[in-house]
């Protein structure tokens, strides 16, 4: 008779917006030496994105606010397909990392500004303390005022996109952040 081994197709389990694109993750498939990831092209077919030895791959050819569809197949050590694939695919939306572009000293504190991120509706602002990044607050605007600052002190900030309900992060963040030194406005004492 004929003997054959069935190998279950890999299933994408997660997609995350990272600094440079969408990172796709999947569980390992027994018998697969590598994986080939595909994206749905503009004609509705599948185009190869790349191969991975591990269980993740980053699609860097993405635009913020756009949703992409992916699927994956298992390969043996000779680069032959040993699995089928999910014909429906997995959808992932890329949201770019917000970049703080301005730090302004105002009468009320340090004003942070950044460009709007396509596909994002809400932002969470952080400052870096002794124990790492600490949440300051959420906003739907592209500005944020830190009103708890000391004149002459330097601060480090970053911003991350969040879901409308504030429960999930939908973008990565700039770990280096931006540094700014706050100087209080001079106060006239007499005239």
């Amino acid at each position: 008779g004929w003997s054959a081994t069935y190998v279950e197709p890999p299933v994408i389990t997660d997609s995350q917006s990272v600094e440079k694109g969408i990172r796709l993750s999947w569980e390992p498939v027994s018998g697969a030496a590598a994986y080939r990831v595909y994206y749905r092209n503009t004609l509705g077919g599948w185009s190869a994105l790349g191969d991975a030895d591990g269980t993740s791959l980053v699609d860097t050819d993405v635009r913020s606010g756009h949703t992409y569809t992916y699927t994956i197949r298992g390969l043996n050590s000779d680069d032959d397909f040993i699995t089928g694939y999910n014909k429906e695919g997995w959808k992932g939306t890329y949201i770019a990392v917000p970049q703080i572009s301005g730090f302004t000293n105002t009468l009320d504190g340090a004003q942070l500004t950044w460009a709007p991120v396509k596909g994002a509706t809400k932002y969470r602002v952080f400052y870096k303390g002794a124990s790492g990044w600490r949440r300051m607050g959420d906003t739907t605007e592209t500005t944020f005022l830190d009103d708890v600052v000391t004149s002459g002190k330097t601060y480090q900030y970053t911003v991350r996109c969040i879901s409308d309900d504030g429960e999930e992060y939908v973008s990565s963040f700039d770990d280096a952040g931006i540094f700014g030194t706050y100087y209080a406005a001079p106060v006239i004492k007499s005239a």
Side-chain angles (χ1 to χ4, degrees):
W2 178 269
S3 154
T5 303
Y6 173 72
V7 181
E8 190 172 334
V11 177
I12 297 172
T13 56
D14 189 33
S15 61
Q16 293 183 336
S17 290
V18 293
E19 190 170 352
K20 305 242 186 246
I22 297 177
R23 183 177 62 222
L24 304 164
S25 302
W26 56 90
E27 294 295 324
V29 171
S30 178
Y35 305 89
R36 183 160 296 149
V37 179
Y38 294 84
Y39 67 92
R40 192 177 301 281
N41 59 38
T42 56
L43 301 175
W46 295 104
S47 295
L49 176 64
D51 291 356
D53 293 332
T55 56
S56 69
L57 185 113
V58 177
D59 181 2
T60 58
D61 188 19
V62 290
R63 292 182 296 161
S64 191
H66 291 259
T67 300
Y68 301 88
T69 305
Y70 302 95
T71 196
I72 184 170
R73 291 186 80 173
L75 305 169
N76 64 17
S77 56
D78 295 325
D79 282 346
D80 296 324
F81 294 118
I82 60 168
T83 71
Y85 63 97
N86 176 351
K87 292 182 171 114
E88 297 299 314
W90 172 281
K91 293 189 185 309
T93 302
Y94 176 62
I95 305 294
V97 174
Q99 298 291 328
I100 298 173
S101 55
F103 176 92
T104 307
N105 292 314
T106 71
L107 183 61
D108 299 318
Q111 180 86 34
L112 305 170
T113 57
W114 57 92
V117 175
K118 189 169 184 179
T121 56
K122 201 169 190 182
Y123 307 91
R124 182 162 291 159
V125 181
F126 297 84
Y127 75 93
K128 196 159 197 177
S131 59
W133 290 109
R134 311 266 310 176
R135 176 181 170 178
M136 292 180 63
D138 299 345
T139 180
T140 56
E141 305 295 324
T142 55
T143 63
F144 189 85
L145 180 69
D146 181 1
D147 57 0
V148 186
V149 285
T150 303
S151 188
K153 189 172 176 183
T154 300
Y155 298 89
Q156 187 176 5
Y157 301 96
T158 196
V159 179
R160 197 169 186 181
C161 302
I162 58 174
S163 60
D164 288 340
D165 62 7
E167 297 294 319
E168 296 179 47
Y169 294 110
V170 296
S171 80
S172 187
F173 65 99
D174 179 5
D175 190 49
I178 187 174
F179 289 88
T181 304
Y182 176 70
Y183 295 102
V187 177
I188 298 171
K189 293 185 175 178
S190 64

